């Protein structure tokens, strides 16, 4: 699932340009079990399967013997909420390990002894952490300078300043009678900037007023 994802589109181009390296590791390659099993029944008679310590520890030990990692992240619905500020913070680090969680969970000793940070992508439960890991890799990679067109565009994203983005349009100016706002065709940069800002404010107040509570007074 992840191998396909990290070799598509902007992530693939970022790697080709040498701006980031993304490696996907299969825990089955690290198990000592002859059937390549990486999970087992939970103690206490609970339902589901739990990922064992040994393959995770072997994989992480191998990786940290090769280079220093700034964070060893575990994706879990009970982690801290993944937000733009967290993505910004992670994008400034050099090396990250992201351990994908698993349906029922991983042996808690891994979380106690190896993991440095636990991240949730939202208050819902996925069957595994792969989609969460993909979301983190995507949001962090696009912040690395040079990955998307111009550096400005990452800075003007939704959420970067606690505001939703203004509406955006492309040609033609009229499609099926649906018109692009006249101001955008006026060529008056100062007025356009002001319009964008007012649109951002209005959309944020209407759609996500909670964001404004966290940001500067506007
Ligand atoms: N694994 C399962 N659900 C998750 C979530 N919401 N966030 C991160 N990892 C998860």
């Amino acid at each position: 699932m992840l191998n396909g994802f990290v070799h598509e589109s902007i992530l693939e181009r970022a790697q080709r340009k040498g701006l980031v390296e993304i490696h996907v590791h299969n825990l089955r390659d690290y198990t000592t079990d002859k059937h390549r099993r990486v999970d087992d029944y939970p103690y206490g008679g609970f339902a589901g399967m739990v990922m064992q310590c040994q393959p995770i520890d072997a994989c992480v030990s191998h990786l940290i013997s090769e280079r220093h990692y700034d964070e060893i992240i575990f994706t879990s619905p009970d982690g801290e909420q993944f937000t733009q500020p967290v993505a910004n913070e992670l994008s400034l680090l050099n090396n990250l390990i992201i351990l994908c969680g698993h349906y029922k969970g991983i042996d808690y000793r891994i979380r106690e002894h190896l993991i440095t940070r636990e991240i949730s992508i939202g208050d819902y439960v996925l069957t595994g952490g792969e989609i969460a890991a993909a979301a983190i890799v995507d949001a962090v990679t696009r912040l690395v300078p040079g990955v998307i067109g111009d550096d400005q565009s990452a800075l003007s994203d939704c959420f970067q300043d606690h505001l939703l983005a203004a509406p955006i349009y492309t040609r033609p100016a009229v499609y099926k009678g649906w018109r692009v706002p006249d101001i955008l065709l006026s060529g008056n940069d100062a007025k356009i900037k002001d319009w964008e800002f007012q649109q951002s404010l209005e959309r944020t107040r209407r759609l996500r007023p909670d964001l404004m509570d966290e940001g500067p007074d506007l």
Side-chain angles (χ1 to χ4, degrees):
M1 187 197 270
L2 285 172
N3 267 322
F5 177 76
V6 303
H7 292 297
E8 288 291 331
S9 180
I10 290 181
L11 293 188
E12 171 65 10
R13 208 176 59 211
Q15 291 173 88
R16 284 227 196 104
K17 282 191 188 166
L19 300 170
V20 291
E21 278 182 36
I22 307 171
H23 302 281
V24 179
H25 305 273
N26 186 346
L27 291 172
R28 287 190 197 281
D29 297 339
Y30 293 87
T31 178
T32 52
D33 181 80
K34 61 175 186 293
H35 303 295
R36 304 229 308 157
R37 277 183 61 169
V38 293
D39 57 8
D40 207 337
Y41 295 98
Y43 281 118
F46 302 109
M49 300 297 276
V50 177
M51 264 155 70
Q52 294 170 289
C53 286
Q54 182 275 321
I56 299 172
D57 183 37
C59 179
V60 170
S61 300
H62 170 72
L63 296 177
I64 62 180
S65 73
E66 292 184 323
R67 56 172 72 84
H68 171 75
Y69 283 90
D70 303 293
E71 297 280 14
I72 304 181
I73 296 167
F74 175 57
T75 59
S76 171
D78 53 13
E80 77 180 286
Q81 190 87 357
F82 189 54
T83 57
Q84 193 62 48
V86 174
N88 294 348
E89 206 186 302
L90 296 179
S91 77
L92 299 174
L93 303 178
N94 284 321
N95 296 305
L96 304 171
I97 293 175
I98 306 177
L99 173 64
C100 299
H102 176 67
Y103 164 55
K104 187 67 193 174
I106 64 169
D107 191 308
Y108 202 74
R109 288 168 289 188
I110 293 293
R111 296 171 70 169
E112 289 172 318
H113 296 285
L114 292 183
I115 297 300
T116 62
R117 195 159 183 174
E118 303 194 333
I119 293 182
S120 164
I121 60 160
D123 287 343
Y124 41 80
V125 181
L126 303 164
T127 51
E130 290 81 3
I131 290 173
I136 296 168
V137 167
D138 188 282
V140 170
T141 301
R142 64 190 295 289
L143 294 169
V144 172
V147 168
I148 49 176
D150 56 301
D151 291 357
Q152 277 310 308
S153 60
L155 291 176
S156 60
D157 284 340
C158 257
F159 302 118
Q160 280 296 16
D161 39 21
H162 302 272
L163 290 176
L164 301 182
I168 195 156
Y169 304 85
T170 188
R171 287 184 291 184
V174 184
Y175 174 76
K176 285 172 50 180
W178 306 338
R179 300 184 62 81
V180 169
D182 287 340
I183 180 79
L184 295 177
L185 311 175
S186 70
N188 184 329
D189 286 349
K191 279 201 169 148
I192 290 173
K193 282 265 155 310
D194 186 56
W195 176 87
E196 282 185 330
F197 183 61
Q198 295 306 328
Q199 289 287 320
S200 285
L201 279 180
E202 188 281 319
R203 294 189 74 238
T204 312
R205 277 198 192 108
R206 183 163 46 89
L207 301 169
R208 291 293 307 275
D210 56 300
L211 290 177
M212 299 188 96
D213 302 339
E214 299 159 18
D217 285 344
L218 290 169

